[in-house]
Amino acid sequence: MRRFGSAVAVFGGLLLAVAGMAPALAHEHPSGITDLVTPAVVRIEATARVDITLLDHIGELVHVERSYEVPIGSGTGTVINPDGGMVTLTRVVKNDLDVRIYAANKIFAEHHKVKIPADFERHKLKDDLLNHHLQECYPPKQPTATCIIDVTTEIKVFPNISPADTEGFRAEIVRPGDKPDSPAVLKPVGRADGSAGLPTAPLAAEVPAKDNSPVAVAGFTGRPAANLPETVDIAHLRAGGAGEGGRQFKDPENKVNEPEKLGALVDKGLLGGPVIEDKKGEVVGLLLGGGKDARMIGIREVTKALAEADVAPARGPIDAAFEQALTRFHTHYYGDAVPAFQRVLDLYPGHTVAAAHLKTSQAKRGTAEDEGTKRAAASTDAPGGAPLWPFLVGGGLLVLVVLVAAILLWRRRRSEPEPEPSLLADPLPPTLSPPLNPPPVQARSAFDEQVDSTIVVGRSFPALPKISSTSPGQPVLVARDPGSSTAPDPRPAETTVQKYCTGCGMRLGPAHSFCGYCGQPAKT
């Protein structure tokens, strides 16, 4: 029975494998996904607002007030949790230039009509009096200062949504890096996007160690707009390189100068943008460099900066719904992808990638490219679809094979010989007669599995000897000679050399303390 049960289990497993073969292939996660990251890519612009008041007392005392917005940096950032936590490079949001010097140069040039470059350098004028007032305007602030300066840094974030957000939302620096190319962590200020939060990008655990590992870079070359979507390009990582020095890029076929190509993208606005691993679509680093050189700072430095800023990477409900929709889309189940992308847009109406894929899915739903339509046609064996009969024939053959194997096992089990009786049970002599009034023997199973089990074999025995006694209470079994009369042996009982069980008549040896056949204790 155990063998038969094993065969049935194998049969059931084979049937499940055949039934689940086609759906399993349909849910393989596609490779080369950048769509997981691009919804979380944002444009970052940092400016310093300088409010300056010039105290002009060369003639009559005049207060000249001006406000200037001084660019600090711009580039690309990546949202890493639904609350809006972001990572980028420090030089995108902070630099070492003193914007107060810039404001002093600009207000003096405008008010006193003198030629002073609008830069971050300290200058001198030929006019001693004006030069004295200019030097007193430069920081740091002194009791005789001729300028009162107030500086506030403003960071604007423009998300990847449609229609484009021309105003953006403000953010603040949670943790700047020690160096310009160190990761900086930001968080939004006063942003309200509902309970679902913002789309996020998954972070990898490590950087691919293999040489020429394929990656992609993403970012914005300006503020997002209908005619300015995110920029995505491919590249290859060279082996080696770590820390803030970064890893280099190189085309394995030397057809493209990848450092120069990516350096140009850095100058256009992809500074700090995510570098995306090719297979899982996870962020493995941030893009840095410029000019004719571009490198990548690894994910280890990014996660370290996040830990020091106490900002934890996380994925939200928008990302979970979007990944399900992407799986259907990239496996060409366009009919199933339509409601999945609509669910994403319900959670986050501005999701540009979901909106674009929804439009494509609606156009291809029900066509020859829709795998869902092909499967529906195959279930009815419609023309143009994969026929169902191979699966039915294969399943029938499996059923037949398992049934034949089960029948053979059952017949083999029935043909096995019965177990031999115990060697302890010696045959009785044919001349012995059965015992007088033997006690009833309790019925036992032929394969009783208890400790004191005894194998009972149903068979008849010859006649057992008659019982005689030489004294009351002392029965003795006496064997008869087949050729003599039925009279008992006149010899005394002490001359009897063979003992038998008083329960079943089994012959006992001199050292037997119990019967090996029925278990009856031997009489001493």
Side-chain angles (χ1 to χ4, degrees):
M1 292 300 294
R2 291 181 180 178
R3 294 178 181 176
F4 182 76
S6 301
V8 172
V10 173
F11 165 67
L14 291 174
L15 284 183
L16 290 176
V18 171
M21 187 180 301
L25 293 176
H27 287 84
E28 287 184 356
H29 194 71
S31 63
I33 295 298
T34 59
D35 292 341
L36 292 175
V37 177
T38 51
V41 175
V42 295
R43 167 77 174 179
I44 299 177
E45 296 179 359
T47 59
R49 180 181 176 86
V50 186
D51 297 320
I52 183 171
T53 300
L54 173 62
L55 306 177
D56 180 12
H57 53 275
I58 294 177
E60 294 182 0
L61 181 61
V62 178
H63 289 188
V64 182
E65 297 180 353
R66 295 284 191 276
S67 292
Y68 303 109
E69 287 190 356
V70 184
I72 294 176
S74 63
T76 299
T78 307
V79 181
I80 51 87
N81 66 30
D83 296 332
M86 293 164 278
V87 290
T88 187
L89 293 182
T90 299
R91 62 186 171 114
V92 172
V93 294
K94 181 182 178 182
N95 58 38
D96 296 331
L97 301 176
D98 195 335
V99 296
R100 296 174 299 176
I101 296 177
Y102 173 88
N105 290 336
K106 196 165 181 65
I107 196 170
F108 249 79
E110 293 176 354
H111 178 65
H112 291 290
K113 310 299 181 184
V114 293
K115 292 183 179 181
I116 302 176
D119 56 18
F120 300 91
E121 301 292 335
R122 296 174 183 265
H123 298 281
K124 291 184 179 181
L125 299 175
K126 294 180 180 180
D127 188 309
D128 294 337
L129 183 58
L130 287 177
N131 183 64
H132 175 73
H133 280 255
L134 176 61
Q135 302 306 318
E136 293 293 332
C137 185
Y138 287 141
K141 185 179 179 180
Q142 300 177 3
T144 58
T146 57
C147 292
I148 301 174
I149 306 174
D150 183 30
V151 179
T152 56
T153 301
E154 186 176 77
I155 300 175
K156 283 287 191 73
V157 179
F158 300 90
N160 186 10
I161 60 176
S162 179
D165 184 357
T166 58
E167 298 296 328
F169 60 90
R170 295 179 60 240
E172 62 182 9
I173 302 175
V174 180
R175 177 199 175 276
D178 299 332
K179 298 179 182 179
D181 287 333
S182 300
V185 182
L186 314 178
K187 69 176 182 180
V189 178
R191 179 74 172 179
D193 287 291
S195 59
L198 296 173
T200 69
L203 303 184
E206 58 184 1
V207 177
K210 185 179 179 182
D211 193 21
N212 300 323
S213 297
V215 293
V217 296
F220 286 99
T221 59
R223 291 186 180 182
N227 59 349
L228 187 61
E230 73 276 0
T231 297
V232 179
D233 209 335
I234 61 173
H236 300 82
L237 285 174
R238 298 185 64 178
E244 295 182 1
R247 290 182 63 173
Q248 297 179 336
F249 297 94
K250 184 181 179 181
D251 181 9
E253 298 180 356
N254 293 322
K255 293 182 179 180
V256 180
N257 188 341
E258 288 189 355
E260 184 174 346
K261 177 187 73 171
L262 298 180
L265 291 176
V266 168
D267 294 338
K268 291 180 180 179
L270 268 66
L271 178 66
V275 180
I276 308 166
E277 192 266 339
D278 180 65
K279 298 299 181 182
K280 297 181 180 180
E282 298 174 335
V283 177
V284 295
L286 303 181
L287 186 63
L288 57 91
K292 294 185 178 182
D293 181 39
R295 288 160 288 134
M296 181 196 77
I297 184 172
I299 193 64
R300 181 181 301 176
E301 286 72 30
V302 175
T303 53
K304 178 182 178 182
L306 290 171
E308 293 176 353
D310 197 22
V311 175
R315 304 280 279 161
I318 299 174
D319 310 306
F322 185 54
E323 286 191 20
Q324 294 178 2
L326 278 182
T327 300
R328 291 166 172 79
F329 180 80
H330 286 287
T331 51
H332 309 298
Y333 281 77
Y334 298 111
D336 296 336
V338 169
F341 283 125
Q342 288 174 339
R343 169 60 178 164
V344 177
L345 292 173
D346 289 340
L347 294 172
Y348 193 71
H351 204 294
T352 57
V353 182
H357 289 339
L358 174 61
K359 185 177 180 180
T360 303
S361 300
Q362 289 173 334
K364 295 184 177 182
R365 178 174 53 181
T367 65
E369 298 182 60
D370 191 347
E371 291 291 336
T373 303
K374 293 180 182 179
R375 288 192 62 192
S379 63
T380 57
D381 208 12
L388 189 60
W389 65 265
F391 293 97
L392 297 178
V393 171
L397 290 176
L398 288 176
V399 172
L400 181 61
V401 169
V402 173
L403 288 177
V404 170
I407 293 173
L408 291 176
L409 289 175
W410 177 74
R411 293 184 62 182
R412 180 179 179 182
R413 182 66 182 170
R414 290 292 302 271
S415 63
E416 289 181 356
E418 295 291 339
E420 295 294 334
S422 173
L423 296 178
L424 294 177
D426 295 334
L428 294 175
T431 57
L432 296 182
S433 60
L436 298 178
N437 300 326
V441 179
Q442 185 178 359
R444 296 190 182 186
S445 171
F447 295 98
D448 194 350
E449 294 182 354
Q450 296 183 5
V451 177
D452 59 344
S453 61
T454 302
I455 297 178
V456 179
V457 181
R459 63 178 183 179
S460 60
F461 293 89
L464 298 177
K466 293 183 178 181
I467 300 176
S468 62
S469 175
T470 57
S471 61
Q474 297 291 331
V476 178
L477 296 179
V478 180
R480 293 180 303 188
D481 187 354
S484 63
S485 64
T486 59
D489 194 337
R491 292 180 300 173
E494 290 78 5
T495 62
T496 302
V497 296
Q498 178 63 50
K499 295 191 299 180
Y500 295 88
C501 175
T502 60
C504 64
M506 176 65 68
R507 184 171 57 185
L508 303 179
H512 283 179
S513 60
F514 63 93
C515 179
Y517 184 80
C518 68
Q520 180 75 17
K523 296 287 186 176
T524 57

